[in-house]
Amino acid sequence: MGKKLKSKNMTKVIAGAVSILLFILLWQYGAACTAVGKLLPTPVVVFQDFIKDCYSNIGQYTLIGHIFWSLERVMLAYVVACVAGVALGMGMGWNRTIEAIFRPIFEVIRPIPPIAWIPLSILWFGIGEMTKFFLIFLAAFTNVTQNAYAGAKAVDPVLVGAAKMLGANNRQLFTKIVMPFSVPYIFAGLQIALSSSWATVVAAEMVRSSEGVGWLIFGGMQTNDTTQILVGILAIGIVGFILAIIMREAEARLCAWNNRGV
């Protein structure tokens, strides 16, 4: 079983590497041999600038500095959103009164993309850090809440009934059955929320900022610097990929008993 799993994982790695290589070759050909090259630099140029920007300042900071600014904003809003989202989602899924009060409001807010809140967030909080925090918070909060709610609702009623017959009270039912059962759902929401938060920080930093990956892209757009824009996009992709790997590894370790963690 272990050898089969390793072989399957190796196949995925090879397939992923081949697809990335083919994409880079197609990009190189288009930029070097067609009219696309007038609008798009070659991957070699972008990768060279990416390395150079890691130790050379763009504005006040290097590329690494801008990435850390964005990560700091994301992590602060993300942690608060996760705590609030799990609490509200589990509450709505377990308690009918909480569900009746908050679910209609949540269902109205949930489909609205965070970017749509930019004008109101500027009116409410100005153009400082609070606006960015609010937008990133919304991106994470809705995903975590929805998944936590789905997990609490998916608990097998037969299991709950059996626990009640054995004398379990509501607190025991919630802590011993509902919460453990909901963990895989919550982790799925945490992963989606982290990706959404990282994507939203780009839009948030374009509102008004002097640092961050979003500012990097916006600055490249203002100066018509396509290479800087692509360096920023590449940084977003790499960091997003690393964050996804970290979350999957955390789920695999904390939910080893569940098939989703395999």
Side-chain angles (χ1 to χ4, degrees):
M1 184 67 180
K3 291 182 179 179
K4 187 176 181 180
L5 183 60
K6 287 182 180 180
S7 176
K8 186 177 180 180
N9 290 338
M10 183 59 68
T11 302
K12 288 183 179 180
V13 170
I14 293 173
V18 170
S19 66
I20 293 173
L21 179 60
L22 288 175
F23 172 76
I24 293 174
L25 290 175
L26 183 62
W27 176 6
Q28 176 68 30
Y29 172 78
C33 304
T34 69
V36 175
K38 296 179 180 179
L39 302 173
L40 193 69
T42 65
V44 174
V45 172
V46 174
F47 294 146
Q48 285 176 341
D49 270 37
F50 183 91
I51 299 300
K52 183 191 71 175
D53 292 341
C54 287
Y55 55 85
S56 298
N57 279 15
I58 309 171
Q60 301 180 58
Y61 304 96
T62 64
L63 177 60
I64 302 298
H66 288 294
I67 289 173
F68 274 109
W69 264 103
S70 296
L71 281 173
E72 182 180 351
R73 288 168 175 148
V74 167
M75 288 300 115
L76 179 62
Y78 175 75
V79 169
V80 175
C82 288
V83 173
V86 169
L88 179 60
M90 296 293 290
M92 290 193 304
W94 179 243
N95 187 289
R96 291 182 179 179
T97 302
I98 296 176
E99 182 180 20
I101 295 172
F102 291 102
R103 184 158 172 77
I105 301 172
F106 175 73
E107 287 300 324
V108 172
I109 295 174
R110 184 171 64 89
I112 303 173
I115 296 175
W117 290 93
I118 289 178
L120 275 179
S121 64
I122 292 175
L123 289 175
W124 291 342
F125 307 115
I127 56 176
E129 290 297 309
M130 193 60 192
T131 294
K132 301 175 185 62
F133 176 90
F134 177 70
L135 295 173
I136 299 166
F137 172 87
L138 284 177
F141 175 75
T142 52
N143 287 300
V144 175
T145 303
Q146 179 61 28
N147 279 63
Y149 172 78
K153 279 293 187 182
V155 176
D156 189 348
V158 175
L159 189 62
V160 175
K164 285 182 177 179
M165 289 180 62
L166 293 172
N169 56 36
N170 284 335
R171 182 183 62 81
Q172 290 171 326
L173 288 173
F174 185 75
T175 57
K176 302 297 184 181
I177 296 177
V178 178
M179 288 190 67
F181 188 89
S182 303
V183 167
Y185 291 84
I186 293 172
F187 260 100
L190 294 178
Q191 290 187 44
I192 298 170
L194 186 56
S195 299
S196 299
S197 299
W198 183 242
T200 303
V201 74
V202 178
E205 288 173 343
M206 287 182 179
V207 173
R208 170 67 173 85
S209 186
S210 58
E211 66 283 308
V213 183
W215 174 84
L216 197 68
I217 295 174
F218 188 67
M221 183 184 71
Q222 289 184 314
T223 58
N224 200 27
D225 189 343
T226 309
T227 303
Q228 181 174 316
I229 294 173
L230 289 173
V231 166
I233 292 173
L234 181 60
I236 291 170
I238 291 173
V239 175
F241 180 68
I242 293 172
L243 291 175
I245 290 176
I246 292 172
M247 285 299 298
R248 282 197 294 268
E249 183 64 23
E251 181 183 14
R253 292 180 180 275
L254 296 175
C255 303
W257 44 269
N258 189 272
N259 288 334
R260 281 176 44 80
V262 175

